[in-house]
Amino acid sequence: MEEFQDEKIKIEDLKPDKSKRILTGIRPTGHLHIGHYFGAAKSWVELQDKFDTFIEIADVQALTDNFNNPQKVKDNTLQIVMDLLALGIDPNKCTVYLQSMIPEIAELTVYYSNLVTISRLQRNPTVKTEIAQKRELFGDSVTYGFLGYPVSQAADITAFDATYIPAGEDQLPLIEQCREIVRKFNSIYGETLREPVEVISNSPRIKGLDGNEKMGKSLGNALYLSDDYDTIKRKVMGALTDPSRIKKDDKGHPDVCMVYYYHKLFSTINEIKDVRSECENGTRGCVDCKKQLIENINAKLEPIRDKRHYYEEHPDEVKDILMAGTAKAKREAEKTMEKVKKAMMLDY
Ligand code: TRP
């Protein structure tokens, strides 16, 4: 039966239910920055108390556009797990696992690939945008693997029988495509797979220090959870401020200033009010304003960084956590595989 989703379901509105699985994935291509944190990871920490939470370290998906740089994917895999643990993901509540160690995902991808047309993949808005952004890598002809990554992502989701998928705007077309694959599979081979539901979050997308709408490694405008005090200081000192404010006592426009924007994320309500009025009246200079922000950001990131240092010094512990999560996730994928093979008459 088709489910008509008029209004998107918000993560914040979901009723806690430990029997429901929520699944998300992250490509290990760089350390986590505060855009990941405020935009997604912070809510995962809350979700682990409410649902059976799975986080996939999607190294196979990362290779679809980093096939020529396996070292980068490998190096970032444990780093991402360290970031997740540092910001509060608890391996006793949340299953963190590695995609490449679960061959069932690859196997499902092969079977699902019969249920998707090339033109449908080419029309996927997220894939379309990404191909356009990656002309340097792909030239005029995209790889089969990259074009097909939505199929592999459908396998990521269905292998673990996930009910909810937290998603930002860019992930919605991928989940929609997964739902189509599930419906097609079930209509041909019989009711076997669960149709996942996307849940959106109120979390904002965080702008870069340079004012760019997106924070990203390639844009060079990101603050990382692993950044030390001096790095935070250097980056905040270089952040975009009101360009019309030349002298210290010029009246400023906080709404065009990235320092004010970050005060709203890291400072207390009273501090934010003071920053606004003193900037607007020209009584506080940008340097003082930045110094206060540096201290506030550092105070928030310090405990995360300290926890991360512990894991950096105990990489074997991090690896053990990932391997235990992977073993658990693999057992779930095996169950799905058995059902799928039976439905497809491949259960020899
Ligand atoms: N495509 C996602 C991203 O780029 C990562 C991802 C991989 C994912 N597998 C997933 C997200 C499964 C949700 C569910 O961020």
Side-chain angles (χ1 to χ4, degrees), residues 99-211:
Q99 183 184 15
S100 61
M101 289 185 74
I102 305 192
E104 287 78 6
I105 299 172
E107 209 176 343
L108 288 172
T109 304
V110 173
Y111 297 145
Y112 296 170
S113 64
N114 294 325
L115 310 176
V116 183
T117 64
I118 309 268
S119 62
R120 175 64 181 87
L121 287 166
Q122 285 168 333
R123 277 199 314 271
N124 182 308
T126 302
V127 176
K128 224 166 141 176
T129 311
E130 287 175 335
I131 292 174
Q133 286 165 349
K134 293 175 203 297
R135 284 199 88 76
E136 208 180 307
L137 179 66
F138 293 129
D140 291 331
S141 186
V142 68
T143 58
Y144 166 62
F146 190 82
L147 182 66
Y149 95 74
V151 186
S152 162
Q153 187 157 322
D156 290 342
I157 293 169
T158 53
F160 307 98
D161 196 29
T163 299
Y164 297 125
I165 313 298
E169 283 297 313
D170 61 333
Q171 293 300 301
L172 297 179
L174 292 156
I175 300 166
E176 187 49 45
Q177 186 139 29
C178 172
R179 293 157 60 87
E180 281 175 33
I181 291 171
V182 169
R183 283 185 216 133
K184 188 130 193 210
F185 187 102
N186 288 346
S187 75
I188 298 172
Y189 305 115
E191 274 305 310
T192 311
L193 303 170
R194 184 197 298 278
E195 246 188 77
V197 178
E198 63 267 28
V199 288
I200 57 161
S201 162
N202 285 334
S203 321
R205 165 177 267 192
I206 306 298
K207 292 185 195 173
L209 288 158
D210 57 354

Side-chain angles (χ1 to χ4, degrees), residues 254-309:
D255 294 324
V256 301
C257 173
M258 293 318 292
V259 177
Y260 178 68
Y261 176 88
Y262 281 96
H263 268 296
K264 289 192 285 183
L265 295 170
F266 288 98
S267 303
T268 65
I269 301 214
N270 283 335
E271 284 172 323
I272 298 165
K273 277 190 196 149
D274 289 347
V275 168
R276 174 174 271 284
S277 68
E278 289 171 25
C279 174
E280 283 175 338
N281 296 324
T283 53
R284 179 204 296 241
C286 294
V287 172
D288 286 344
C289 191
K290 285 174 173 174
K291 280 187 180 154
Q292 185 187 10
L293 177 62
I294 291 162
E295 296 310 315
N296 291 352
I297 292 178
N298 191 57
K300 280 250 171 74
L301 296 191
E302 196 168 34
I304 297 177
R305 204 166 54 219
D306 287 350
K307 211 164 163 199
R308 201 179 192 286
H309 277 153

